[in-house]
Amino acid sequence: MIADNVRRHRKARKGLSQEKLAEQCGYHRTYVGMIERGERNITIATLEALAGALGVEPRRLLDRD
């Protein structure tokens, strides 16, 4: 669920790349890719960093659509 929401919100931001999202969060692009593929479990701090970079509230990354 988080993986899909991160990807959807990232692409909705005019095709924001994984690399640019990672830069904004202070993470490596491969880490963001692993998150989007559901290969990594993330912390609350990471959820907040991703949400901030995507311009959404953290709960939006937890919503089932």
Side-chain angles (χ1 to χ4, degrees):
M1 173 178 39
I2 293 172
D4 291 338
N5 287 335
V6 169
R7 185 180 310 107
R8 182 171 47 82
H9 284 289
R10 177 178 61 79
K11 289 183 176 183
R13 291 211 34 200
K14 297 183 180 159
L16 181 67
S17 68
Q18 288 180 348
E19 185 173 10
K20 289 291 184 187
L21 176 58
E23 285 176 16
Q24 291 178 5
C25 295
Y27 300 128
H28 195 274
R29 68 171 177 76
T30 58
Y31 182 62
V32 171
M34 292 172 78
I35 292 169
E36 287 189 0
R37 289 188 301 274
E39 297 172 355
R40 298 291 301 216
N41 292 321
I42 63 172
T43 65
I44 298 290
T46 300
L47 180 76
E48 290 175 338
L50 289 167
L54 292 168
V56 298
E57 293 184 30
R59 66 180 176 85
R60 301 299 301 162
L61 299 180
L62 299 171
D63 287 345
R64 291 191 192 275
D65 290 333

